[in-house]
């Protein structure tokens, strides 16, 4: 018998317009991706999948909005409304603004250098990284944080 929760996918809207808009996946494996035109795609994720989603938008004088989300899909429980993620997801990490997003990417690179997969990190590690980036004024130049939880 088929599990009814299996059919509940989370959709992520991916868009690109040169020098104006870039909504893309940073990491994560979609179950499938559907092309919705020249500039738009729709990525569908199975329940309990973790993915990174970047939303960048330019204005007349440069970057207007830059946000980075790490989400975990769920078919039950309360979901957070996230722009471009339908119907929503459990928000594990969020960075807003140029400085915080760049620091987040540096931390992601440090995690990858340690040989860990971003998709497989535990939710408590994402929340710890979120809290560290929101509260600390500076991190080391190579992105490695000595207080980053390792286990």
């Amino acid at each position: 018998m088929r599990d009814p929760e299996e059919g509940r996918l989370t959709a992520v809207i991916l868009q690109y317009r040169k020098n104006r808009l870039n909504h893309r996946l940073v990491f994560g494996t979609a179950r499938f991706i559907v092309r919705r035109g020249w500039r738009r795609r729709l990525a569908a994720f199975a329940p309990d999948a973790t993915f990174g989603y970047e939303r960048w938008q330019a204005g007349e004088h440069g970057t207007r909005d830059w946000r980075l989300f790490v989400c975990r899909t769920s078919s039950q429980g309360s979901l957070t409304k996230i722009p471009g993620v339908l119907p929503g997801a459990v928000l594990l990490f969020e960075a807003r603004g140029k400085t915080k997003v760049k620091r987040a990417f540096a931390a992601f690179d440090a995690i990858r250098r340690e040989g860990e997969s971003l998709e497989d990190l535990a939710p408590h590690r994402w929340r710890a990284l979120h809290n560290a980036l929101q509260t600390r004024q500076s991190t080391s130049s190579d992105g490695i944080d000595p207080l980053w939880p390792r286990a």
Side-chain angles (χ1 to χ4, degrees):
M1 185 170 177
R2 187 174 172 194
D3 182 15
E5 298 297 323
E6 184 180 316
R8 301 199 181 179
L9 300 176
T10 300
V12 179
I13 299 170
L14 310 174
Q15 299 183 68
Y16 177 76
R17 292 187 66 181
K18 186 176 181 180
N19 298 326
R20 301 297 294 164
L21 181 75
N22 192 5
H23 299 169
R24 68 180 183 104
L25 288 176
V26 177
F27 64 87
T29 305
R31 181 175 277 183
F32 60 88
I33 297 177
V34 177
R35 189 169 177 170
R36 303 279 302 171
W38 183 255
R39 297 181 177 122
R40 291 181 64 161
R41 293 176 298 151
L42 188 73
F45 288 90
D48 296 324
T50 302
F51 63 92
Y53 181 50
E54 177 186 15
R55 291 178 60 92
W56 176 84
Q57 187 172 7
E60 292 180 19
H61 305 290
T63 298
R64 188 175 111 195
D65 184 36
W66 197 1
R67 292 187 272 178
L68 177 63
F69 303 98
V70 174
C71 309
R72 183 168 187 87
T73 61
S74 178
S75 59
Q76 52 188 304
S78 62
L79 303 176
T80 303
K81 276 189 155 185
I82 299 167
V85 179
L86 304 171
V90 176
L91 186 62
L92 301 175
F93 175 88
E94 179 181 10
R96 290 179 183 227
K98 181 179 178 180
T99 304
K100 289 182 181 177
V101 171
K102 284 188 172 186
R103 288 172 58 196
F105 278 126
F108 290 4
D109 290 341
I111 293 168
R112 285 185 180 122
R113 278 194 304 270
E114 291 176 0
E116 296 187 59
S117 171
L118 296 175
E119 295 91 358
D120 298 331
L121 286 181
H124 76 277
R125 293 186 67 192
W126 284 116
R127 291 185 182 108
L129 178 61
H130 170 81
N131 292 336
L133 288 177
Q134 296 299 322
T135 58
R136 290 200 186 95
Q137 297 300 317
S138 64
T139 59
S140 62
S141 61
D142 61 358
I144 297 172
D145 186 354
L147 299 178
W148 168 250
R150 300 284 181 226

